[in-house]
Amino acid sequence: MAAPLELSYNWRAPLVFATVALVACLGILARGQAAGWVSAGVVLVLGWALYCCVVWLRTRSYLLVEGRVLTTRRWRDFQRVEASQLCAVRELPTPAGPSYRLEVERDGERDRVTVPTALLLRGPSTLFTWILAQAPHATLDKRSRRTLELLQTRGLVE
């Protein structure tokens, strides 16, 4: 049975550091009790909560390849893509690396599915290996072709 790919980064350490920094800042504010310290504390807690939410959303990245079916999740819902449904692949540059938007055709309608490969270990190589093996008919944009050539040069995709 296939297993989903692991995350490519350690999400625990940034949350620990952010929480320690929040507690330290709140302690300094409470001890000093300068004018408006409660409002400043609320702003700090809201900023920390927003940061935690962003980290949590990134940990929701998921990619599983089982034969002709690719299952992915960016944030909320799982989406399954069968190789026969895949029409095109477009690379999306992100600060963490390339992710991909798959254009699929289901029941005569075109849909887009985002695969967050930048956040997963071996994400791009797994995706391109699946595309080459199961959906060679899919068209790749210029950036995707360049990434595929680079992965093939490095021996990560055959």
Side-chain angles (χ1 to χ4, degrees):
M1 180 169 182
L5 298 181
E6 296 178 29
L7 293 174
S8 64
Y9 66 99
N10 178 8
W11 58 270
R12 292 170 189 89
L15 285 185
V16 168
F17 289 126
T19 303
V20 168
L22 173 71
V23 170
C25 289
L26 289 176
I28 292 169
L29 285 174
R31 187 164 167 84
Q33 292 193 357
W37 74 274
V38 173
S39 299
V42 168
V43 169
L44 283 173
V45 170
L46 289 176
W48 173 81
L50 179 65
Y51 178 74
C52 288
C53 183
V54 169
V55 170
W56 178 75
L57 285 173
R58 290 183 70 185
T59 64
R60 308 273 298 155
S61 300
Y62 182 91
L63 178 63
L64 174 67
V65 173
E66 293 179 301
R68 298 191 54 80
V69 178
L70 177 132
T71 306
T72 187
R73 173 181 64 200
R74 184 163 185 191
W75 291 318
R76 200 179 58 208
D77 299 326
F78 287 99
Q79 296 182 336
R80 295 172 52 93
V81 176
E82 293 192 25
S84 61
Q85 297 173 335
L86 184 62
C87 299
V89 179
R90 193 175 126 233
E91 185 172 311
L92 301 173
T94 68
S99 287
Y100 296 90
R101 180 160 292 147
L102 307 180
E103 191 172 310
V104 296
E105 187 168 341
R106 297 178 180 143
D107 301 326
E109 293 185 23
R110 292 226 171 192
D111 191 18
R112 292 185 184 142
V113 176
T114 302
V115 182
T117 57
L119 302 175
L120 300 165
L121 282 177
R122 300 176 315 279
S125 59
T126 301
L127 176 66
F128 281 112
T129 300
W130 179 78
I131 290 171
L132 291 176
Q134 303 296 334
H137 60 275
T139 59
L140 305 176
D141 71 339
K142 186 177 180 180
R143 285 184 173 167
S144 298
R145 285 192 304 271
R146 190 175 332 133
T147 301
L148 176 59
E149 289 171 6
L150 181 64
L151 290 171
Q152 288 173 329
T153 302
R154 292 182 179 170
L156 299 172
V157 173
E158 296 178 13

